[in-house]
Amino acid sequence: QVQLVESGGDSVQAGGSLRLSCVVSGDNYGILGWFRQAPGKEREGIASIVKDGIITYADSVKGRFTISQDHAKTYLYLQMNSLKSEDTAMYYCAGGLYGWPPSLNSRDYVYWGQGTQVTVSS
């Protein structure tokens, strides 16, 4: 079993930065990812990291967001730069059992945090 608890969501102005954190309890996972869901929209996978370090980004955040883990793999981070109003959403940390192939599909993830809200004002 893996438990995930996100933090770091806030309200920021467009162009600003935020870092989301996720405490990861347990190691029964093959992949960790960040997802987001805006009101009225489907949940979108935006970044994932496999246990061996392979990283995948959605085109919508590539070059602006960075996913990382600390050395002890206790924390999962999402550094978000150059934020846009369209980044406004609830952000979720998630874990999947299998690390290959790397996935940004929510159906491949079985562990979910409760979410943290990010609001970007223009």
Side-chain angles (χ1 to χ4, degrees):
Q1 189 72 13
V2 175
Q3 293 183 325
L4 305 166
V5 180
E6 307 95 333
S7 63
D10 206 345
S11 296
V12 296
Q13 291 193 329
S17 298
L18 275 178
R19 187 176 82 158
L20 304 183
S21 299
C22 175
V23 178
V24 181
S25 301
D27 63 359
N28 186 31
Y29 63 89
I31 189 169
L32 294 174
W34 285 99
F35 290 75
R36 66 185 181 186
Q37 189 166 19
K41 294 189 176 181
E42 292 188 358
R43 189 166 295 190
E44 175 191 16
I46 56 175
S48 70
I49 182 167
V50 178
K51 258 189 174 176
D52 62 3
I54 294 175
I55 289 174
T56 304
Y57 293 104
D59 288 343
S60 58
V61 305
K62 199 173 293 183
R64 300 188 299 124
F65 291 10
T66 303
I67 188 172
S68 64
Q69 283 186 280
D70 67 321
H71 183 71
K73 298 191 186 299
T74 303
Y75 289 90
L76 179 72
Y77 300 108
L78 185 69
Q79 177 66 43
M80 305 186 295
N81 298 328
S82 302
L83 283 162
K84 306 174 183 179
S85 57
E86 51 262 45
D87 295 319
T88 295
M90 185 71 78
Y91 283 70
Y92 298 91
C93 174
L97 295 176
Y98 307 106
W100 195 262
S103 172
L104 292 176
N105 190 322
S106 60
R107 292 176 297 180
D108 295 322
Y109 291 75
V110 294
Y111 306 115
W112 293 88
Q114 82 289 351
T116 187
Q117 178 68 38
V118 173
T119 302
V120 184
S121 57
S122 55

